[in-house]
């Protein structure tokens, strides 16, 4: 999984300025064509193993790929469900949230709007189990461990990316409770006091 993560970073992140545009385009096309195998491997691990380190490595590799994966691999498979299933579990929470942030930040064709609404509803339901609606995020951040502080930061990145892409639609498409919950979290997280 570590090798897959490095491959994605090399082709999609670090190759800027290092490789010619033609070579980068060729590598991206090849990797995109081979993504089915990568997706199958990641899904097999996510659905079949309970080994913490292997799951974390898989989630980390997946986070590197999700920004360019064809939408069908995300919403027409069990990927989102698997990520949301790992999200409440403490050992995977932050890295699963990083993956969910990538998914929530994607510019998708309008045919995926219903999937985005469902995704947001499911995410909000999982979040309530982790973070009660009356939580003061600023105080929780101040008193939290490094892991808990990273969670609050990752949560802020999730909402920023999601609402940047979906705007108000994300809240309305997700239902009244989710929108109200999000507004309460945002109001309580105000550091300005």
């Amino acid at each position: 999984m570590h090798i897959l993560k490095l491959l994605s970073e090399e082709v999609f992140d670090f190759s800027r300025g290092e490789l010619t545009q033609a070579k980068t385009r060729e590598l991206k096309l090849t990797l995109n064509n081979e993504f089915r195998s990568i997706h199958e491997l990641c899904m097999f691990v996510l659905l079949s193993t309970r080994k913490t380190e292997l799951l974390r490595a898989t989630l980390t590799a997946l986070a590197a790929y999700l920004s360019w994966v064809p939408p069908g691999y995300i919403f027409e498979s069990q990927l989102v469900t698997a990520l949301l299933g790992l999200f409440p579990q403490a050992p995977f929470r932050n890295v699963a949230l990083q993956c969910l942030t990538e998914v929530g930040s994607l510019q998708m064709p309008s045919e995926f709007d219903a999937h985005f609404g469902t995704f947001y509803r499911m995410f909000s339901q999982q979040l309530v189990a982790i973070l009660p609606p009356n939580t003061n995020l600023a105080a929780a951040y101040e008193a939290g461990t490094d892991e808990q502080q990273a969670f609050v930061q990752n949560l802020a990145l999730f909402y920023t990316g999601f609402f940047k892409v979906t705007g108000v639609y994300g809240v309305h498409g997700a239902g009244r409770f989710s929108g109200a919950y999000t507004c309460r979290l945002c109001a309580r997280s105000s550091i300005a006091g």
Side-chain angles (χ1 to χ4, degrees), residues 54-140:
L54 181 57
L55 282 168
R56 287 179 61 80
T58 301
L59 290 169
T60 301
L62 207 49
Y65 283 92
L66 286 171
S67 64
W68 59 266
V69 170
Y73 285 108
I74 296 170
F75 289 114
E76 295 170 358
S77 73
Q78 294 179 299
L79 180 60
V80 171
T81 304
L83 293 172
L84 288 167
L86 292 169
F87 174 57
Q89 300 176 41
F92 312 116
R93 185 168 296 144
N94 277 324
V95 71
L97 183 53
Q98 289 168 358
C99 291
L100 293 167
T101 298
E102 288 295 331
V103 170
S105 300
L106 293 173
Q107 294 281 346
M108 293 284 189
S110 60
E111 66 209 48
F112 289 95
D113 284 353
H115 291 288
F116 253 69
T118 301
F119 164 67
Y120 186 78
R121 244 187 331 278
M122 291 170 62
F123 174 81
S124 295
Q125 289 168 352
Q126 293 287 356
L127 184 59
V128 168
I130 298 167
L131 195 66
N134 61 348
T135 301
N136 181 326
L137 285 179

Side-chain angles (χ1 to χ4, degrees), residues 144-166:
T145 64
D146 288 346
E147 188 81 11
Q148 291 165 334
Q149 288 179 346
F151 175 73
V152 172
Q153 291 170 344
N154 288 332
L155 189 59
L157 290 172
F158 173 84
Y159 281 119
T160 301
F162 186 84
F163 290 125
K164 179 180 178 187
V165 171
T166 63

Side-chain angles (χ1 to χ4, degrees), residues 20 23 33 38 67 141 166:
T20 64
K23 184 64 175 173
N33 290 337
I38 295 169
S67 64
Y141 181 86
T166 63

